[in-house]
Amino acid sequence: MSGINRREFIQKSAGASALWVSLLQKALAVQANNHTRSIKDVQHIVILMQENRSFDHYFGAMKGVRGFGDRFPIPLESGLRVFHQSDGKRIIPPYRADGRKTNAALVKGTPHDFHDTQAAWNQGKYGFWPLFKTPYSMAYYTREEIPFQYAMAESFTICDAYHCSVATGTDPNRIMFFSGSNFSPEKRAAGINCTDVDAEPINVRCWIEGKMPDPGYTYRLNGFKWPTIPDVLQDAGISWRIYQDPNNNWTGAMHGCLAFDSFRNAQPGSSIYENGMRHWSLEDLTNDVKNETLPQVSWILPSQEDSEHPSAPSSPYHASDYTHKILTALTSNPEVWSKTVFFLTFDENDGFFDHVPAPAIPSYNIDNTLAGKSTIDLAGMYFHNDKGIEIFQDPSGKPGDKSVYQDHRDTITGNIRPWGMGPRVPMYIISPWSKGGWVLSEVADHTSVGQFIEKRFGITIPAISPWHRAVSSDLTAAFDFETPNDPVFPNMPDTSQYAQREAASKNLPKAVAPEIPTPLFQEKGVRFSRALPYRLFCTMHYQKNQQQVQLLFKNDGKKGAVYHVYDMHHLDAIPRRYTVEAGKSLTDEWTVTTDGGYNLEVYGPNGYFHKFSGNVNINEPNVRLEYHPKGKLSIHIDNDTSTTLELIISSNVYGYMNNQPLAVPAGKSLKMQVSLESSGFWYDFTLASKTGYVHRFAGRLETGVHSTSDPAMATEL
């Protein structure tokens, strides 16, 4: 890199950072419509789905979210933890795409189709993300590279548990986003797993040819028949519109409704055609806001240049200017903005790495047994790859349209595979009811926006599955509809110089993975965190006669959850996953080693973690937790053995206790109670003995009131 180019880039970047605009200050200053103090105060929902960024890629380094400072990363088969990904030859941890030294703005895109995403995910084992997604998959940004994106997150609300719905690319996720499913709901209800005839595993159906209105689009493959969200809104008399240039929407790829017969067959003059197929520009959006004619639900489709897609022609800089224009339009009339929710998310992660295991349905082992359980019937929830691993010609016969659904190296499971969820993607919730720099850590996916629309307008989107309804948030927890009008005024970076920043970035070297891995980085600090609906309990029971241990997964909360269990003695195996609906429970058993040993790690939402390690042939206690509404945690230690148990309990962080010895007499119980108020109700305790018994339990006790993110996040980096 020449000194001139580097100097030019630093000067331009510094100039952009020094300029502050009033746009979000203006948005924050507008008082929310607070007439009913409920979701009914929302009169307009506006939705923008951008392209191909993972949560860690954008926000793994931001304080107060579940990022690179996660204290409970899942284990890999290598014995290392999830951040130590391999390309098959060397370990490549996440690395910063440093905007001062590299072309970070134009970081390369990576493979992001069904077969490579399945291979990288490896049914929950992870381990070889750079192998299947290239080393570029491990690149991430800091606030220096994406100041506008950080400012939006810190002005309003960011979700750090929002996942793409399908572990694959654009079309399947956008079809899911616009309808509630990417596979036939009718077949799902009948318990039949779909093939590519009645589902969308890869990008096919939305990639059109032709121009609108003349001669019109031509489509590939059969159209789907279940109703889209716009169809449901239309039938319910709820106004809607898709703002787009139909001839500049990345050849239709941004428009998930193009996979459906209702849109394909729509004629000029019909509501579907006029609102969903015609050209409606940002100027039209601005006029609708100013004239108070903004529909009740609106989608905005970007062009390729504005889409935020990596590898150019877009970039975070270019897209931030596009987002700036949308926000300018939405805030041009304070009366309308006071009644508007703006959701901004991403269809999928490209191939960019994200470390949080997707809360998916259980995978199948290679012997066709299920690796986990569910309290919900899962029949019909899987993709049936009836093409095997051979590359096949697309039935449309278009030149070059070849696809593969399974990498030949991906043999851990068969041809029946979970659709998702997939990796986390960013989701900003921007509205007068969600300002203040909050984080929402409730598990969500692309059906969540549809569920919010349902909640607001009292409709039902029939394609959303019971599993998604049980597990995925309706996002209402992100909003304060009771007392929203307490504005905060952070500064916002200027976005108008995106072209200059892109030009300067082009002159810099590629943002490649360094030869010597760099340490993980995440800013230290907390942010306000919304109350969550989780009350999860996992307890262990001994089955010595069967040489097994049993885990009980109990959900006393108001929302379903997915538990992930990794057997540390068998990290070659697919981790088991357990979907437990609110108010229900499940049990499952693990066979111990030949000498009686067991070592299980259990993961759940928002940092929920349990470790069970010990030996069934040695006298050990039973432990269970009890949560109290005012933030007190009771730890019950039961000794069912015939000898006194000598134990040590310690708080690993937060300073509640340090190596406190305990003696529990034979046949007796001990109860300890700890008030967690000083840590924002976060806890992390280990109960251990000199015989090798270790029981560690961590998470956040939910009290029904808002709290903070984990104050220990990133403190161990």
Side-chain angles (χ1 to χ4, degrees), residues 484-675:
N485 295 314
D486 184 18
V488 180
F489 300 99
N491 291 323
M492 286 298 299
D494 180 29
T495 64
S496 62
Q497 296 189 25
Y498 71 88
Q500 296 96 310
R501 299 191 78 184
E502 283 183 353
S505 184
K506 288 178 182 178
N507 294 325
L508 297 172
K510 291 182 179 179
V512 299
E515 287 297 323
I516 300 176
T518 54
L520 288 172
F521 168 75
Q522 184 178 0
E523 301 167 343
K524 293 178 175 60
V526 300
R527 61 198 315 106
F528 295 123
S529 175
R530 292 296 188 187
L532 302 178
Y534 302 121
R535 291 179 69 83
L536 305 180
F537 300 88
C538 183
T539 55
M540 193 188 77
H541 302 283
Y542 299 97
Q543 297 180 332
K544 295 185 179 182
N545 292 338
Q546 292 81 29
Q547 286 292 284
Q548 290 181 332
V549 292
Q550 181 189 74
L551 294 187
L552 167 65
F553 306 96
K554 188 179 179 184
N555 185 347
D556 285 349
K558 297 180 179 179
K559 195 69 183 177
V562 174
Y563 293 85
H564 310 249
V565 183
Y566 291 77
D567 187 341
M568 302 299 287
H569 290 312
H570 296 285
L571 288 173
D572 57 321
I574 294 174
R576 302 189 203 177
R577 290 186 295 275
Y578 299 86
T579 298
V580 185
E581 296 165 273
K584 295 188 178 181
S585 62
L586 284 174
T587 60
D588 208 354
E589 292 75 38
W590 279 259
T591 300
V592 299
T593 61
T594 55
D595 63 353
Y598 61 89
N599 191 351
L600 304 173
E601 291 189 355
V602 182
Y603 298 80
N606 198 32
Y608 179 91
F609 176 77
H610 261 66
K611 181 179 182 68
F612 303 92
S613 179
N615 192 300
V616 297
N617 297 324
I618 298 174
N619 289 334
E620 296 179 346
N622 290 304
V623 181
R624 54 189 172 87
L625 305 181
E626 181 182 1
Y627 303 145
H628 300 279
K630 293 186 178 180
K632 292 184 178 180
L633 175 70
S634 288
I635 305 165
H636 298 263
I637 306 170
D638 301 321
N639 181 359
D640 296 333
T641 76
S642 58
T643 61
T644 297
L645 296 179
E646 303 290 340
L647 305 166
I648 295 176
I649 189 167
S650 57
S651 177
N652 299 297
V653 290
Y654 315 123
Y656 287 116
M657 62 184 70
N658 185 29
N659 297 330
Q660 181 175 334
L662 303 173
V664 187
K668 300 294 184 180
S669 298
L670 179 66
K671 176 182 176 181
M672 305 180 66
Q673 191 172 88
V674 185
S675 177

Side-chain angles (χ1 to χ4, degrees), residues 446-468:
H446 293 330
T447 70
S448 296
V449 176
Q451 291 185 62
F452 184 87
I453 294 172
E454 287 182 327
K455 191 89 169 182
R456 168 56 187 90
F457 294 110
I459 60 173
T460 298
I461 300 166
I464 299 176
S465 76
W467 185 86
H468 286 90

Side-chain angles (χ1 to χ4, degrees), residues 219-279:
Y219 303 97
R220 297 159 59 187
L221 300 189
N222 58 298
F224 295 139
K225 300 186 183 303
W226 64 89
T228 67
I229 296 176
D231 289 315
V232 174
L233 295 174
Q234 186 67 39
D235 290 345
I238 298 163
S239 61
W240 63 276
R241 181 164 295 156
I242 298 174
Y243 292 88
Q244 62 160 336
D245 180 345
N247 297 314
N248 192 17
N249 58 6
W250 206 332
T251 323
M254 302 296 95
H255 197 334
C257 293
L258 298 183
F260 293 84
D261 282 347
S262 61
F263 274 72
R264 292 181 174 189
N265 299 330
Q267 298 299 310
S270 68
S271 295
I272 294 294
Y273 188 95
E274 297 302 322
N275 287 306
M277 303 292 276
R278 285 201 181 275
H279 188 168

Side-chain angles (χ1 to χ4, degrees), residues 15 55 97 101 146 157 196 274 283 398-399 487 551 610 677 709:
F55 186 86
K101 303 175 182 178
I146 50 171
T157 295
D196 58 359
E274 297 302 322
E283 183 179 356
K398 304 269 181 209
L551 294 187
H610 261 66
E677 191 170 356
S709 61

